[in-house]
Amino acid sequence: MEQWLDFAKGPLFAFTFLFMILGLFRHVVLQIYYLGIRKGRRLRNAPWRKIILDTLTWAVPVKHFIPGTAFFSSASFLSHIGLILVPVFLVDHVVLWEGFLGLNLPSIGKGVADVLTLFTIACLIVLFCCRVFVGRQRAMSGPMDYLILIMVFLPFASGFLASHPKFNPFAWDTMMLTHFLSAEALFVLIPFTKLSHIVLFFFDRVSGLHWQLRPGAGDKVADALFGKEARV
Amino acid sequence: MDEVIEAVKPLVQRDNGKKTYPYYIENPVTENRVERFLEAFAAVLHFTDYKPLLDSYCTSNAKCNRCAVTCPVYLATGDPKDIPCYRTNLLLETYKRYFTFGGWANSRFSNGTDLTEEIIDEMLDLFYRCTACRRCTTECPMGVDHGLMTRLGRYILSLIGIVPKALQVATREQLEGETHNTSKIPKVALMDTLEFLSDEIEESFGVRMEAPVDKYDREYVFFCAVSDYLLEPDTLMGNAVVLYAAGDWDKWTIGTQDFDGINYGLFYSDWHLENIIKQLVHEVTRLRGKKILIGECGHASRSAHDFVPVFAGKESYPVFNFMEYTLDCIEKGKIKLNPNIITERVTYHDPCNISRSGWIVEQPRKIIRSFIKDFVEMEPHGVNNYCCGGGGGLVSVDEIYNFRMNIGGKQKADQIRETGAEIVISPCANCKKQLKELVEFYKLPCKVMGLHDLILKAIEIPGAKSAEERKEEAAMFEM
């Protein structure tokens, strides 16, 4: 088991983490290429002020807790606090980052991390229940929507149990292995699923830029499909 | 009740194998629609810039359904198919399946996401149930622009011949017809109308104002929704008297080769959008104008304001909505409005294209507060307003009247009723038509007017009859 653990927190972690970073980097590069290079000078006309304000507002979307979705929105927003802080700043993780990346990050106390973890787990359960019990959300949900919630839930739950033996009904190393493997599976999933909003969030919000249509493109589409005939 | 059921049921129906469409389509394509749709989609992706957007939306679309509670159509029907995300997903799933590696790989295991004739029917139905008001976009945490997706869906459908006949006929006349406008008004009729409006103003104000036509080197070239010449004379006279009172009568002109600000391309086609913009810019260049002044019309203002810089290149001109001009005149003290003329309770409807998708929210309110005492806001208003139900060109499609009244415009009718207003100001030709129909349909005790209709009543012009006198004369005439 020890060998498995070493493998999971060593080479497998390095591989999956790098995989995630490269996957996200690909999204960023493609978006910048398309927006920055292909649209080029047309971006000068874009509503930049609105785009930047929108992005900042959505980073703390308090004013968007609208009637009808307030419960879901609150759980969704609040879960992000733990989702960002615990994986990055938990003491054990800080050690890991230092070992792998040489980064010397500040850490949050164990107590704070515990509260954040439990809070995140509670929020994820609320989000899951919303999908199951709210008709309009169920209508739009597919297997992947549930799977992603479970995949995010697993590393948090297993990490909490592994660090609190008195609540843990399983062997410590089993729980740690579950923690590593589930986190690594999540790393792999991130670039391919909606979790990629980690980086795409900043690009989706710029839909204002996509209204800067390409001059002449309509003509080319029409020419390709109909030739030079009348096309009105 | 029957009308509600009629409006809610799926619009594409099969009756003994014969398909009926929700709106009139000129020569609807019946064969190989899937292949043709994919061919058109591929061409669009190849020549335009939609690909990165679709890539991004496909990956990060959260399907959280927040958009549902913002959509006036979904709120009226409660049908999951009217959730903006559901509609957008029709296009995204097709893109993913046929234009991404992941979708191709997935299709080796399942056929569930293949494009079918039924999905195309669903698209042609749902993309024209959306009013493209973009209210959902403001509440999407991922920033998915469902309005843009609706537009893209309509664009691809239009390339395989699926587009409401009302829109197609109008744009055809605008681009290829002799009159170059959507209402097919010939130059002679325009001149007659302008003559008539001048007579009306003279009768009311005691001052003759001859509209400047085809004058060169003027500062402003004026374009309004051409239907205003037929349906909204008060709005146009309001525009004219503001220009006259501000001392700018020799600074504007109307062109006779193109005087229509309408641009249905904004709702369904890049090609039409670009060519109508070019036609408009060409007219300004011909007249050697310096600025484009758009009358009271939401989508005309937005299409010119946003797309003249995109498509006109170096020929670009600054674009102003008439309300911006009027506010400027008020703030500079160039015109005076009598605050004792409009005594009714007034509310203001924000046209989506210039409020949420534009830049005009506070300007009309400043104008209104400067001369109207009893002004009440609808809730919500401004960028969060509800669409009138006729947005995205739907108002021109007469055959979906039941849908526009019972579903699209239901929220707006409730909003208007709650304000208790006697006058609803709507500075947009499309909204005005839809709201007038709504008021009649729901028997709301109010009338729908343009902002400049009220300015026409309240404006004071030195040397002309006063607003009080005109009000008395109008009252006597009504008796």
Side-chain angles (χ1 to χ4, degrees), chain A residues 27 31 34 38-39 42 45 50 58 64-69 72-73 131 136-137 139-140 142 145 191-194 196-197 200-201 204-205 207 210-222 224-226 230-232, chain B residues 40 43-44 47-50 52-53 56-57 59-66 68-70 74 80 83 85-86 134 138-143 145 148 151 155 159 168 171-172 176 270-274 302 307 309-311 356:
Chain A
H27 282 308
Q31 290 294 322
Y34 280 120
R38 288 188 62 175
K39 283 200 186 276
R42 271 174 288 150
N45 306 317
K50 198 173 174 183
W58 272 103
H64 290 289
F65 290 174
I66 52 175
T69 66
F72 176 87
S73 303
R131 284 214 179 266
R136 63 166 188 275
Q137 280 200 290
M140 284 298 299
D145 298 299
F192 300 113
T193 61
K194 60 185 171 184
S196 56
H197 73 264
L200 287 177
F201 170 81
D204 286 352
R205 195 126 307 277
S207 62
H210 292 281
W211 284 95
Q212 306 297 314
L213 306 175
R214 182 189 287 197
D219 269 329
K220 287 178 186 163
V221 170
L225 293 171
F226 316 119
R231 56 188 72 129
V232 180
Chain B
V44 168
F47 291 110
T48 67
D49 293 339
Y50 291 110
L53 186 71
S56 175
Y57 286 176
T59 322
S60 63
N61 187 8
K63 289 192 262 176
C64 67
N65 279 283
R66 281 175 57 94
V69 295
T70 65
Y74 174 77
I83 297 175
C85 217
Y86 179 89
R134 299 178 77 226
T138 60
E139 290 304 333
C140 175
M142 295 298 136
D145 193 334
L148 185 55
R151 187 177 177 282
Y155 180 30
L159 291 170
Q168 197 172 14
T171 48
R172 181 184 297 137
E176 293 187 342
D270 286 9
W271 186 83
H272 291 85
L273 177 64
E274 180 169 354
R302 178 182 167 207
F307 294 101
V310 173
F311 294 128
R356 186 164 33 254

Side-chain angles (χ1 to χ4, degrees), chain A residues 79 114-127 152-153 155-158 160-161:
Chain A
S79 68
D114 282 348
V115 172
L116 283 176
T117 303
L118 289 175
F119 197 64
T120 304
I121 289 172
C123 288
L124 290 170
I125 292 170
V126 169
L127 292 178
V152 178
F153 169 85
F156 275 82
S158 56
F160 182 80
L161 289 177

Side-chain angles (χ1 to χ4, degrees), chain A:
Chain A
M1 182 57 103
E2 204 151 306
Q3 283 173 320
W4 278 110
L5 270 176
D6 286 342
F7 174 68
K9 73 176 173 186
L12 192 59
F13 172 81
F15 173 75
T16 53
F17 186 72
L18 188 67
F19 185 89
M20 176 188 76
I21 295 295
L22 288 177
L24 293 178
F25 187 65
R26 174 182 166 274
H27 282 308
V28 174
V29 169
L30 283 178
Q31 290 294 322
I32 289 176
Y33 166 73
Y34 280 120
L35 285 173
I37 297 171
R38 288 188 62 175
K39 283 200 186 276
R41 292 170 65 185
R42 271 174 288 150
L43 295 188
R44 282 186 307 184
N45 306 317
W48 282 105
R49 189 183 142 80
K50 198 173 174 183
I51 289 166
I52 292 167
L53 278 177
D54 256 15
T55 310
L56 293 176
T57 314
W58 272 103
V60 188
V62 180
K63 75 165 197 162
H64 290 289
F65 290 174
I66 52 175
T69 66
F71 201 49
F72 176 87
S73 303
S74 312
S76 172
F77 170 60
L78 295 173
S79 68
H80 280 74
I81 300 172
L83 286 171
I84 294 167
L85 292 181
V86 177
V88 180
F89 298 112
L90 177 73
V91 181
D92 304 323
H93 296 161
V94 167
V95 175
L96 200 66
W97 300 130
E98 197 170 359
F100 268 100
L101 304 171
L103 287 174
N104 196 4
L105 295 171
S107 63
I108 50 173
K110 267 221 140 105
V112 178
D114 282 348
V115 172
L116 283 176
T117 303
L118 289 175
F119 197 64
T120 304
I121 289 172
C123 288
L124 290 170
I125 292 170
V126 169
L127 292 178
F128 194 93
C129 290
C130 282
R131 284 214 179 266
V132 175
F133 295 113
V134 179
R136 63 166 188 275
Q137 280 200 290
R138 195 170 53 240
M140 284 298 299
S141 300
M144 207 58 186
D145 298 299
Y146 294 103
L147 181 70
I148 282 173
L149 284 174
I150 294 167
M151 291 303 294
V152 178
F153 169 85
L154 275 178
F156 275 82
S158 56
F160 182 80
L161 289 177
S163 60
H164 293 83
K166 60 180 173 182
F167 300 122
N168 186 5
F170 307 102
W172 178 84
D173 43 10
T174 311
M175 203 39 72
M176 274 317 278
L177 190 63
T178 310
H179 181 63
F180 283 127
L181 292 180
S182 57
E184 284 151 5
L186 198 59
F187 287 163
V188 175
L189 274 181
I190 282 173
F192 300 113
T193 61
K194 60 185 171 184
L195 295 171
S196 56
H197 73 264
I198 293 172
V199 292
L200 287 177
F201 170 81
F202 300 97
F203 293 96
D204 286 352
R205 195 126 307 277
V206 298
S207 62
L209 302 182
H210 292 281
W211 284 95
Q212 306 297 314
L213 306 175
R214 182 189 287 197
D219 269 329
K220 287 178 186 163
V221 170
D223 285 349
L225 293 171
F226 316 119
K228 300 278 182 189
E229 296 158 26
R231 56 188 72 129
V232 180

Side-chain angles (χ1 to χ4, degrees), chain B residues 154-197:
Chain B
R154 289 179 179 188
Y155 180 30
I156 299 166
L157 287 173
S158 79
L159 291 170
I160 62 168
I162 298 173
V163 58
K165 188 178 174 184
L167 302 183
Q168 197 172 14
V169 168
T171 48
R172 181 184 297 137
E173 180 59 29
Q174 195 173 15
L175 286 171
E176 293 187 342
E178 284 180 15
T179 62
H180 285 302
N181 65 73
T182 49
S183 295
K184 218 173 176 177
I185 299 176
K187 184 181 169 183
V188 182
L190 171 76
M191 300 306 284
D192 278 353
T193 306
L194 293 173
E195 184 71 23
F196 166 76
L197 295 178

Side-chain angles (χ1 to χ4, degrees), chain B residues 444-477:
Chain B
L444 301 174
C446 60
K447 49 188 173 184
V448 180
M449 304 175 90
L451 180 54
H452 285 82
D453 301 29
L454 297 179
I455 290 175
L456 178 71
K457 291 174 190 284
I459 196 163
E460 299 286 8
I461 300 178
K465 286 183 201 169
S466 72
E468 295 282 2
E469 280 177 273
R470 297 198 310 273
K471 190 177 180 182
E472 277 170 26
E473 279 179 11
M476 281 175 64
F477 183 73

